[in-house]
Amino acid sequence: MKVVIVGGVAGGATAAARLRRLDEQAEIVILERGGYISFANCGLPYYIGGSIKERDELLLQTPESFHARFNVDVRVNQEAVAIDREAKTVTVCDLLVGQEYLEPYDKLILAPGAKPNIPDLPGMRSERLFTLRNIADTDAIKEFVRQQHPQHATIIGGGYIGVEMADNLLDAGLAVSIVQRSGHVIKTLDADIAAQVHAHIYAKGVKLYLNTPFDGVQQQPDGRLKVLLGNKDQLTDMVILAIGVTPDTRIAQEAGLVCDAKGGIIVNEKMLTSDPDVYAVGDAVVVKDLIGGQPALIPLAGPANKQGRVAADNIAGIDSVYRGTQGSSVLKVFDLTVASTGLNEKQAQAAGIAYGKVYLNPASHAAYYPGGSPISLKVLFSPADGRILGAQGVGSEGVDKRIDVLAVAIRAQMTAHDLTELELCYAPPYSSAKDPVNMVGYVIENLMAGRVRQFFWDEVDDLPRDGSVQLIDVRLPLEYARDSLEGFVNIPVDNLRARLSELDPAKPVYLVCQSAIRSYIAARILSQHGFADVLHLAGGYRLYSSI
């Protein structure tokens, strides 16, 4: 059996290695258009910024090392330009000599990845405008910075690549601006959680332009670029274009394989295309969203590797399936860790999935142990059964491991009650006896049982201030004096029982504290003293003020 693999990075290289481990006799050929295989594309920004010192550290395998270990015929600078499904051949162009040849196959795996979106706008061919997708792109940016000594970079797009490049270019000594078309960066986050990321970006001295259109660039007489941003035009030394990617699937479409409107290759759970001898994996394929069940393009390295393994299994006769992608991701934003998994609110609404939500601000580890910092968590759950649907987290430490646990909970269809029973590692430097994940479960359980009710940050300004409702801030007087919500009266939670006579049990009560812990306690006190209509602010004043 001869297997030809188009693309030799995450999905393609994984498929080749897995297939060899399963079948020592198969003939395996990798055709890679670029000059490198199995490189660490997620590490590219960190080489530019200097965190990764040596370029060779990005090269996880070379054609020679891969051949030596796996006996795979790896051919770089070889572009697959056409597929003849009837003849079962791939037309390949040797980019070094410009000649074409035919490569026959018994089974074909397509792992062509995705290509950066480049809009049809003025200046897109400028030598000072860059994308970042492969080693060649990295070399071009690194060399430009070394030779031209730019002072300022403008990044178009506030997604993963854009924010990572801002972080690393700042480390490289440049002033940086980020231009984002929508109202917040990192689209896997909801706007209320992204607001904390915005504050951190501003604090690092990066200029952030939100809700700002990008209309192209113009070369200036001094060689710099004018970035066209409506009425916010600015001059810069270089531009990084990071406005997303599109599946690189021209040859699949021309070969008649079924694709969606965006060009994503349609595959089944075995990673098989509409042709029984052609598989596809990675950023080029349409997968199933694990929670909502909708088809989706989710370009992430982890899923690409898993899909490559599934394709290889099936070619080798192992019944293996890929059940869907939940979009787990983590991102370093200067000193912050930002992570998410599963659905956010926008995705849940688009899928027509009912959800509740909770916000928590737990400490990263035991509060009495030095060095702790708050974690901001937002978790979506099913109101029907408490099943966890999605989670987002921002903080200086401990964020990734909490989101990882919640990612497992989503995959296992665990409920809030299941979270309360998880026995997670505890020692003061690492966590608390009640881990933040346990706390998520407790908060959701209380809501579902009706022990507490909450209102949200976007409802605060619409609350009546005419005396028809009672607005109470239960923080300490010093906290209240520093800053408070309009119309809220200060009754510290520890004084609440003694001051119940000041409140009317017949009127609704809205409570706020800094992080929603004391307001929850206050709500329980009032509920057990005859107050029937009591709500507290989810996420507390800390969340509200950050937004």
Side-chain angles (χ1 to χ4, degrees), residues 117-383:
N117 290 331
I118 301 178
D120 184 15
L121 293 172
M124 294 300 98
R125 294 183 179 273
S126 170
E127 293 180 353
R128 291 174 174 261
L129 185 143
F130 304 88
T131 58
L132 182 63
R133 190 66 182 169
N134 53 39
I135 295 289
D137 294 338
T138 307
D139 289 342
I141 296 171
K142 189 83 169 179
E143 188 65 9
F144 182 85
V145 172
R146 187 184 70 83
Q147 289 190 356
Q148 301 296 325
H149 307 290
Q151 300 300 302
H152 182 273
T154 299
I155 298 167
I156 310 301
Y160 300 144
I161 294 296
V163 172
E164 285 179 332
M165 281 302 298
D167 185 341
N168 282 280
L169 287 173
L170 199 71
D171 281 349
L174 282 72
V176 179
S177 299
I178 300 175
V179 177
Q180 174 66 16
R181 180 177 58 185
S182 69
H184 68 85
V185 300
I186 312 172
K187 69 177 182 179
T188 56
L189 300 180
D190 288 317
D192 44 19
I193 298 298
Q196 299 174 60
V197 182
H198 297 165
H200 191 66
I201 290 173
Y202 288 128
K204 289 297 179 179
V206 173
K207 292 184 178 180
L208 179 59
Y209 297 85
L210 299 173
N211 295 305
T212 300
F214 170 61
D215 298 322
V217 299
Q218 289 178 351
Q219 195 84 35
Q220 300 301 292
D222 64 357
R224 303 184 77 197
L225 295 177
K226 177 189 282 189
V227 186
L228 306 178
L229 307 174
N231 61 354
K232 304 174 185 177
D233 295 354
Q234 65 166 264
L235 292 176
T236 191
D237 297 309
M238 63 185 298
V239 170
I240 306 292
L241 198 60
I243 56 174
V245 295
T246 299
D248 195 1
T249 56
R250 178 191 57 80
I251 63 168
Q253 296 180 66
E254 291 178 353
L257 296 174
V258 176
C259 298
D260 75 353
K262 295 181 179 179
I265 303 170
I266 304 295
V267 294
N268 64 15
E269 62 182 6
K270 298 179 184 295
M271 307 313 298
L272 191 62
T273 70
S274 53
D275 185 310
D277 294 314
V278 182
Y279 294 78
V281 302
D283 296 356
V285 304
V286 178
V287 296
K288 182 177 73 173
D289 177 84
L290 183 69
I291 303 99
Q294 292 82 14
L297 288 163
I298 305 177
L300 293 170
N305 280 277
K306 295 175 179 65
Q307 294 158 17
R309 184 181 178 94
V310 168
D313 282 356
N314 283 287
I315 290 173
I318 299 173
D319 187 16
S320 182
V321 299
Y322 185 77
R323 301 194 184 280
T325 300
Q326 66 194 76
S328 300
S329 62
V330 65
L331 181 67
K332 177 183 177 293
V333 184
F334 304 102
D335 305 321
L336 286 183
T337 299
V338 179
S340 64
T341 185
L343 298 177
N344 59 29
E345 287 199 64
K346 184 177 181 180
Q347 292 166 333
Q349 292 164 5
I353 295 174
Y355 66 91
K357 59 184 177 181
V358 295
Y359 301 87
L360 293 87
N361 297 289
S364 58
H365 60 241
Y368 61 82
Y369 186 88
S373 59
I375 298 173
S376 294
L377 290 173
K378 178 179 182 177
V379 179
L380 273 57
F381 65 95
S382 167

